[in-house]
Amino acid sequence: MSAQLSTPVDAPITTRSLPAKTFWGRALRHRSFVLGGALSLLVVVSALLSLVWTPWSPYEIDIASKLRPPSAAHWLGTDSFGRDIVSLLLAGARSTILVGIIAVSIGLSFGVCLGLIASAKRGWTEEIIMRFSDFTFAFPAVLSAIMLAAVAGPGMVTSIIAIGIFQIPTLTRLTRGSANAIWAREFVLAARASGKGAFRITIEHVLPNILSILIVQATIQFALAILAEAALSYLGLGTQPPQPSWGRMLNDAQTMLFQSPMLAVYPGAAIAIAVLGLNLLGDGLRDLLDPRLARER
């Protein structure tokens, strides 16, 4: 007795469109990804909108209109200088996004390159890079900003450099650890046996296989950069007036907590929304880009 296995001719198997369709189908069902993406998109749209429109000028001071309650003219009221809160929040999102993007780009550029070099070269090269990473990790963003401000003065550039430097060791360690795992895989050993050099293997095999990990980590580092920018601006080391910043808004509101506590609530809520959105987005991307977690879902 024999049994024959056959595939029905009326049920063709199509594999070319399955990965993209499966990814976006899982993405739209993933609550963390959808919610994080929506919150992050809200912050980005607010920053882009401030480039072309704000209800009032965020730089215009009107003492006669200070501490106005929410109204049709000022949707969230005005601050102690008579500036419109909504306009300040929109313009502050622009500053926050700009600092975050540049700082994370600096961290990714140097951190990924150093991590890939350490993983490919090994030996004393890896030891020097990792010890340099440990040394840099000892200087948090606030301490770096204080040292830079003492030399070049406070400002947005100071905060960008300080936050970018603080991003480098984290991304260097992550890249090196992830790359080391790829270098031990069989297909990399086969590539080395075929005569490919370390640089070519890194570009063609190692980097593409750790790219998803770097993307997820970049969203988390972006959230940390937003927190660091707000802290530096609050301390007076970051974005300087008259340029609006969520951290500066918190600093201005601390003297008005009993008269108008909502002045501190609005920028605090904006920072929380931005950080929460990016963390949820990173959590969703981790689940979607990890094949093991993808299969479980």
Side-chain angles (χ1 to χ4, degrees):
M1 182 179 295
S2 62
Q4 294 183 350
L5 299 176
S6 61
T7 303
V9 295
D10 57 344
I13 300 176
T14 58
T15 59
R16 180 172 300 177
S17 61
L18 279 178
K21 184 176 180 181
T22 303
F23 175 84
W24 288 111
R26 289 186 292 111
L28 294 176
R29 292 194 303 268
H30 198 290
R31 287 176 292 182
S32 294
F33 179 83
V34 173
L35 181 58
L39 294 177
S40 301
L41 183 62
L42 176 63
V43 176
V44 173
V45 169
S46 299
L48 294 176
L49 181 62
S50 69
L51 295 174
V52 296
W53 176 85
T54 52
W56 298 81
S57 173
Y59 310 103
E60 182 179 349
I61 295 177
D62 184 9
I63 299 299
S65 302
K66 68 177 184 178
L67 300 180
R68 290 282 180 87
S71 62
H74 302 282
W75 300 336
L76 296 179
T78 60
D79 67 354
S80 58
F81 296 100
R83 297 173 297 183
D84 182 65
I85 297 297
V86 173
S87 301
L88 290 174
L89 290 174
L90 293 176
R94 181 177 61 205
S95 302
T96 299
I97 293 294
L98 179 62
V99 171
I101 288 177
I102 299 177
V104 173
S105 298
I106 292 174
L108 282 173
S109 300
F110 287 94
V112 172
C113 289
L114 290 174
L116 290 175
I117 292 173
S119 179
K121 293 296 184 180
R122 300 294 179 92
W124 63 267
T125 302
E126 180 183 23
E127 190 68 20
I128 291 176
I129 291 176
M130 298 315 298
R131 297 296 75 78
F132 172 77
S133 176
D134 293 338
F135 174 79
T136 308
F137 199 72
F139 294 91
V142 174
L143 181 58
S144 300
I146 292 174
M147 293 187 296
L148 289 172
V151 177
M156 183 179 291
V157 176
T158 298
S159 62
I160 289 174
I161 296 175
I163 298 171
I165 291 175
F166 186 66
Q167 303 268 349
I168 293 175
T170 300
L171 291 166
T172 299
R173 290 179 174 184
L174 176 68
T175 303
R176 176 226 178 204
S178 303
N180 283 345
I182 300 300
W183 275 99
R185 301 287 295 275
E186 291 79 3
F187 62 88
V188 174
L189 296 177
R192 296 178 65 180
S194 66
K196 290 184 179 181
F199 177 79
R200 187 176 176 183
I201 292 176
T202 298
I203 299 300
E204 294 182 359
H205 300 285
V206 177
L207 183 58
N209 280 280
I210 67 172
L211 194 59
S212 61
I213 299 175
L214 297 178
I215 291 174
V216 173
Q217 188 64 31
T219 60
I220 298 174
Q221 295 300 118
F222 203 159
L224 295 176
I226 289 176
L227 284 175
E229 190 278 333
L232 293 176
S233 297
Y234 176 81
L235 295 174
L237 300 172
T239 305
Q240 298 297 299
Q243 183 65 36
S245 169
W246 291 343
R248 290 291 309 174
M249 293 177 68
L250 285 173
N251 182 280
D252 295 337
Q254 67 180 347
T255 58
M256 297 289 175
L257 288 178
F258 294 102
Q259 293 177 268
S260 183
M262 296 304 294
L263 291 179
V265 172
Y266 294 137
I271 296 171
I273 289 173
V275 173
L276 177 62
L278 287 168
N279 281 327
L280 289 176
L281 182 63
D283 183 68
L285 286 173
R286 182 202 62 191
D287 293 347
L288 294 170
L289 295 177
D290 191 326
R292 293 169 296 181
L293 296 176
R295 285 194 294 268
E296 293 177 2
R297 291 179 178 272

